[in-house]
Amino acid sequence: MSRLLSRLNPEQRRAVETTEGPVLVLAGAGTGKTRVITYRIAHLMEKGVPATAILAMTFTNKAAGEMRERVADLVGRRAAKKLTVGTFHAFCVKALRAHADAIEMPAGFSICDSSDQIAAIKSALRELHVPEASLRPRDLHSKISLLKNQLVSAEEFLDNALDDEEQLIGRAYQKYDATLRRARSLDFDDLLVKLVGLFRTHPAIRDNFRNRYRYVLVDEFQDTNKPQFGIVRGIADGHRNLCVVGDDDQSIYGWRGAEVKQILEFDKRYAGAVVVRLETNYRSTSQILDAANAVISNNPARHKKTLRSHIGKGEDIGVVVHEDEEKEANSVVFDIVGKMARRDLSFADFAVLFRTAPQSRVFEQAFRANDIPYILVGGMSFFDRKEIRDLLAYVKQMVNPLDEMSFMRVVNTPPRGVGKSSLDALLDFATKKGISVPQALDLSPSAIDGVTERAMTSIRELRASLARLAEGAKARELVNGIRRMIEATDYQTELVRIYADQETRDMRAQAIVEFLNMAENYLNRSDAPSLSGFVEEIALSASDDRPGGDDKGQGKNAVTLMTLHAAKGLEFPHVYLVGLEEGILPHQKAIRDAGDAEERRLAYVGITRAQRRLAISYAATRARFGKRVDTMPSRFLFEMRGETPPSGWCASGTPPELRPDGPIAPPTGTRAATPSAARATTPRSAANSTTPRTSGSPGRRPAKSAGARRRGPPRNRPIPPGLRDANKRKRTR
């Protein structure tokens, strides 16, 4: 046995050693799937497989980076550098740029970020004379994205439209794609769809990929959609050396196009596939895993597996019912305070997980009122800041002057005399000609009806200036070129115009400095730096398929607040899984649209985030749509206990007239919260903490809730029982 294989357990070793033919590795939560993938790559190289013949794909830049680092630790950095390891989107960009002529796009095509996509959607609706109030742009974008992830074209959707609404969606889909084509741009979904189409229409190109990549590995296979699996099959079906690693029990992105059937039917699609089950969990205690196993076993369509703990039994899982959601939040704060007083813990050891983003509000209020530092994962991204989007649009214009979305963003930012009437006239002219606004300006550079002479002059000067700046921002001059662009466009005046107070302006200006720092970092690690490469790297960093795919909040001593979708792939010593009520988890709309299987998987993901301790709670009443309503404990609570819901229990969606008048019996072992547990107290260490409370502006303390004290525990609140007992023991000693 090699030195590599001796470090693996028997199941992991089998997954690593089975190198030929199709392999399905069912990696339960916390069973070491990344270890299997990285050791498998190292084992292949140890057997003499060239690094250039290995392709490993995953979903987030963070996961890809971790995979590269761990392989480099095993085989050395020089050898690992020859591997192709990255996200699906990054792989597709490289492949499409290499074969841009075959997809009738320039090699320097732009990649639309989410803001660009919404702008293109609005342009499509404007061309169709459809008001945004009747068809919300974000809803339309979600629908188009889902159709692309199902490999349904606009024409195919239109041919099968069942009503006027679907006809409208189909026409908007067509206009949206036409807008992107005019701007020489692709959205994130296009990157996948175009490569599938390239493989289908150009078999010779597909075969080149097959001949190069003789061993293909896919991480998080349960989250692949139809185009992603189409890409994998296009490359791997020639030699069948395909290893997919995933867990159908953690497939929680069906609403975004992921198809769990692809992992469920893998061994049928690939006859003779070896199936390896990783069931030894190195993360959580037996108590936690027993609860997770009990819940997920109620899903009929799944690969059978049972997680076993390598750690041991651990603490019992506490289930508590609270009077309402505010008392639930206060109880969590109270419990954290008590744990911090009795044990050597940090705030970063705790996480509060919930099904929907609005549930965070009461927890944020409770943490703020008690001066507990917290981080809300999923708050505003650095790339969502106005000044960053503006600067990125300027750089995109330098790279691709035909990019209409970026042009429309910067043309009058800061104001340069191009008013709304002139822009409307420009758009009207371009729409009638069936071309983009930049193409219209190229077609008629001197005058366009309805566009003032001053506006035309400003536009010509801006475009000429950006073209000159682009020439001076090549290779090692990239950062200086961006700095000169910021100065030439006088962007600082935009900050003065928008933000009245100096403190806010300074904070926004710091974001501009950070943008330059990003460019500097890109320059230092790139062998062939370019403006287009810099823009591409930023775009791909925004294409992570997971809400929690970044490093936000890591290294800060603060409690983490996050949705269950964002928590995928993370782990915490102490987890509070809150709001386990019918209608929330499982979510009423989700089970109405697709049944409760994915919601059950979401509950399973939440349970298995806990390493040492799991506390579960729900509220007996909750404010919904401006009224306080009685709730039903989640079906998953009963499944966790192996019980059938009692008489009177109603599933989510039951009409009000069929619901019982009084409370029903909670699951066995559920504890009703005591009055003291609904109030919190703050340890002095928390009150004096300088850790940022939220994911918002760095270095600023949020406004406190009315009446909150700045230092020390409020005198009119009880001392937590654990802290009171600790003080009593001290006095006794």
Side-chain angles (χ1 to χ4, degrees):
M1 184 188 300
S2 73
R3 178 178 55 86
L4 280 174
L5 298 180
S6 65
R7 304 173 187 173
L8 305 173
N9 69 32
E11 300 116 320
Q12 292 172 336
R13 190 161 61 247
R14 184 179 177 220
V16 168
E17 286 183 305
T18 310
T19 58
E20 306 303 308
V23 179
L24 169 61
V25 181
L26 295 170
T31 58
K33 71 176 180 62
T34 305
R35 186 181 185 87
V36 165
I37 294 171
T38 54
Y39 274 66
R40 183 181 172 89
I41 293 172
H43 182 61
L44 284 168
M45 294 175 68
E46 190 178 62
K47 287 179 61 178
V49 176
T52 53
I54 300 172
L55 169 64
M57 289 195 283
T58 186
F59 282 83
T60 69
N61 293 295
K62 178 183 175 184
E66 181 184 353
M67 197 181 296
R68 277 191 293 267
E69 286 297 314
R70 291 174 69 167
V71 171
D73 290 340
L74 295 173
V75 303
R77 295 198 175 277
R78 180 176 296 180
K81 198 170 184 180
K82 297 177 182 178
L83 292 163
T84 301
V85 178
T87 65
F88 276 95
H89 289 109
F91 177 79
C92 290
V93 169
K94 189 173 181 179
L96 293 176
R97 291 206 193 282
H99 302 283
D101 289 345
I103 61 170
E104 299 180 347
M105 291 289 285
F109 61 79
S110 295
I111 303 171
C112 292
D113 60 21
S114 57
S115 178
D116 294 333
Q117 291 167 41
I118 295 300
I121 289 286
K122 290 180 178 180
S123 175
L125 291 175
R126 188 168 54 244
E127 287 188 46
L128 292 170
H129 305 290
V130 176
E132 293 180 17
S134 61
L135 186 56
R136 292 175 56 208
R138 291 196 180 277
D139 292 343
L140 177 58
H141 175 254
S142 296
K143 180 64 177 177
I144 291 173
S145 178
L146 186 61
L147 288 171
K148 289 187 177 185
N149 285 330
Q150 295 168 342
L151 290 178
V152 177
S153 67
E155 292 70 28
E156 185 180 352
F157 184 74
L158 267 174
D159 289 344
N160 295 285
L162 299 176
D163 51 36
D164 290 344
E165 182 182 359
E166 290 194 351
Q167 283 279 344
L168 178 57
I169 290 171
R171 291 200 303 274
Y173 185 178
Q174 284 182 319
K175 293 288 186 183
Y176 169 74
D177 273 354
T179 299
L180 296 189
R181 281 196 301 274
R182 290 198 302 266
R184 305 294 192 269
S185 300
L186 299 177
D187 65 20
F188 297 132
D189 300 316
D190 287 333
L191 298 176
L192 305 172
V193 173
K194 292 290 185 184
L195 189 54
V196 173
L198 180 66
F199 285 172
R200 185 181 300 131
T201 57
H202 294 75
I205 293 175
R206 179 204 63 200
D207 290 345
N208 285 339
F209 280 91
R210 287 183 175 181
N211 293 334
R212 177 179 178 181
Y213 297 115
R214 294 187 289 108
Y215 292 87
V216 180
L217 298 91
V218 182
D219 187 21
E220 301 285 8
F221 183 66
Q222 77 280 351
D223 294 332
T224 53
N225 57 30
K226 189 174 287 187
Q228 287 161 339
F229 193 31
I231 292 166
V232 170
R233 293 187 63 193
I235 299 171
D237 277 5
H239 46 68
R240 284 171 48 95
N241 292 329
L242 171 62
C243 175
V244 299
V245 182
D247 182 7
D248 52 295
D249 292 337
Q250 296 186 74
S251 179
I252 59 174
Y253 297 108
W255 51 278
R256 217 163 45 185
E259 296 192 1
V260 69
K261 71 177 183 179
Q262 290 174 176
I263 190 170
L264 293 177
E265 298 175 359
F266 181 86
D267 51 341
K268 297 182 180 68
R269 187 182 297 274
Y270 287 93
V274 174
V275 179
V276 181
R277 288 173 169 78
L278 305 183
E279 297 174 301
T280 303
N281 177 287
Y282 296 91
R283 174 193 298 161
S284 307
T285 65
S286 293
Q287 294 277 14
I288 293 167
L289 297 183
D290 288 348
N293 289 329
V295 169
I296 202 62
S297 64
N298 288 274
N299 267 0
R302 61 183 291 264
H303 287 289
K304 302 298 182 186
K305 52 193 167 305
T306 302
L307 293 180
R308 302 180 300 271
S309 175
H310 184 73
I311 296 171
K313 183 177 180 181
E315 295 184 30
D316 290 341
I317 296 174
V319 180
V320 183
V321 54
H322 298 277
E323 184 179 331
D324 57 39
E325 67 271 30
E326 289 191 354
K327 290 184 173 60
E328 181 181 38
N330 285 330
S331 178
V332 168
V333 172
F334 178 87
D335 195 59
I336 291 174
V337 167
K339 295 285 187 299
M340 293 281 290
R342 296 195 301 272
R343 304 183 188 183
D344 183 19
L345 298 171
S346 68
F347 286 115
D349 292 329
F350 298 90
V352 181
L353 309 182
F354 34 80
R355 173 62 176 84
T356 64
Q359 288 175 262
S360 71
R361 179 188 61 80
V362 290
F363 290 94
E364 288 194 78
Q365 286 179 331
F367 282 114
R368 284 172 181 252
N370 290 277
D371 239 1
I372 302 253
Y374 71 90
I375 293 167
L376 177 63
V377 175
M380 177 180 282
S381 163
F382 174 77
F383 299 103
D384 288 333
R385 294 170 178 262
K386 179 188 182 302
E387 58 274 16
I388 300 305
R389 288 204 173 279
D390 289 345
L391 294 182
L392 190 54
Y394 271 114
V395 177
K396 285 182 177 181
Q397 270 295 287
M398 294 165 69
V399 172
N400 179 10
L402 294 181
D403 186 333
E404 182 177 271
M405 284 74 72
S406 63
F407 172 81
M408 295 300 291
R409 186 173 187 99
V410 305
V411 66
N412 206 40
T413 304
R416 49 178 60 92
V418 186
K420 184 178 183 302
S421 59
S422 290
L423 287 175
D424 287 345
L426 259 177
L427 285 166
D428 187 55
F429 178 82
T431 300
K432 288 177 179 176
K433 295 286 185 181
I435 56 179
S436 69
V437 168
Q439 287 173 315
L441 291 166
D442 291 338
L443 184 67
S444 184
S446 56
I448 293 176
D449 287 344
V451 183
T452 67
E453 184 177 346
R454 180 190 176 193
M456 287 298 291
T457 301
S458 294
I459 290 171
R460 281 196 300 271
E461 291 176 351
L462 174 65
R463 299 186 81 203
S465 174
L466 291 177
R468 287 192 301 271
L469 289 163
E471 284 298 314
K474 294 182 177 178
R476 294 293 159 185
E477 280 298 302
L478 183 143
V479 179
N480 288 332
I482 294 175
R483 187 177 288 111
R484 287 192 291 268
M485 176 271 290
I486 295 171
E487 294 169 356
T489 57
D490 197 19
Y491 188 78
Q492 294 289 346
T493 63
E494 179 74 355
L495 302 184
V496 175
R497 182 178 72 89
I498 293 179
Y499 306 112
D501 64 292
Q502 186 63 43
E503 187 178 3
T504 303
R505 284 201 297 270
D506 290 345
M507 183 184 68
R508 298 288 177 168
Q510 187 58 42
I512 295 175
V513 173
E514 187 58 34
F515 186 80
L516 290 169
N517 291 341
M518 284 175 49
E520 180 68 35
N521 290 335
Y522 163 77
L523 186 67
N524 290 337
R525 64 174 175 267
S526 176
D527 294 330
S530 65
L531 282 175
S532 60
F534 177 53
V535 170
E536 180 180 301
E537 181 175 283
I538 292 176
L540 291 175
S541 73
S543 75
D544 278 358
D545 280 349
R546 305 290 173 72
D550 59 16
D551 291 320
K552 193 169 196 173
Q554 286 198 359
K556 295 180 180 178
N557 185 24
V559 179
T560 300
L561 306 182
M562 66 199 319
T563 65
L564 289 167
H565 283 100
K568 177 77 163 57
L570 303 178
E571 56 191 44
F572 303 90
H574 299 264
V575 168
Y576 298 89
L577 185 54
V578 301
L580 256 75
E581 301 148 27
E582 287 291 305
I584 294 182
L585 185 63
H587 194 274
Q588 183 170 333
K589 183 178 183 301
I591 58 177
R592 184 177 65 239
D593 293 345
D596 64 2
E598 185 157 315
E599 291 295 291
R600 186 172 285 108
R601 293 195 288 267
L602 199 54
Y604 174 86
V605 166
I607 293 168
T608 54
R609 296 315 92 194
Q611 295 172 293
R612 295 295 181 270
R613 177 178 171 272
L614 174 65
I616 299 176
S617 61
Y618 67 97
T621 68
R622 186 175 292 272
R624 300 292 298 271
F625 308 110
K627 297 190 300 184
R628 184 150 295 280
V629 298
D630 293 331
T631 71
M632 285 284 167
S634 169
R635 65 193 69 183
F636 304 142
L637 289 173
F638 296 102
E639 291 175 0
M640 197 182 302
R641 304 295 192 191
E643 300 174 0
T644 301
S647 174
W649 180 87
C650 296
S652 175
T654 301
E657 62 271 16
L658 299 180
R659 296 172 68 90
D661 293 331
I664 68 157
T668 301
T670 301
R671 178 173 60 84
T674 60
S676 62
R679 297 189 296 273
T681 185
T682 307
R684 188 168 298 275
S685 59
N688 294 338
S689 173
T690 58
T691 306
R693 264 58 177 174
T694 70
S695 58
S697 306
R700 300 191 63 187
R701 291 170 64 91
K704 290 181 177 293
S705 303
R709 299 174 64 91
R710 285 191 175 274
R711 297 222 190 281
R715 294 176 184 173
N716 61 339
R717 292 181 182 169
I719 300 173
L723 185 56
R724 185 167 57 237
D725 294 343
N727 290 338
K728 188 184 296 182
R729 286 193 295 272
K730 286 180 182 177
R731 288 195 298 271
T732 302
R733 289 198 297 269

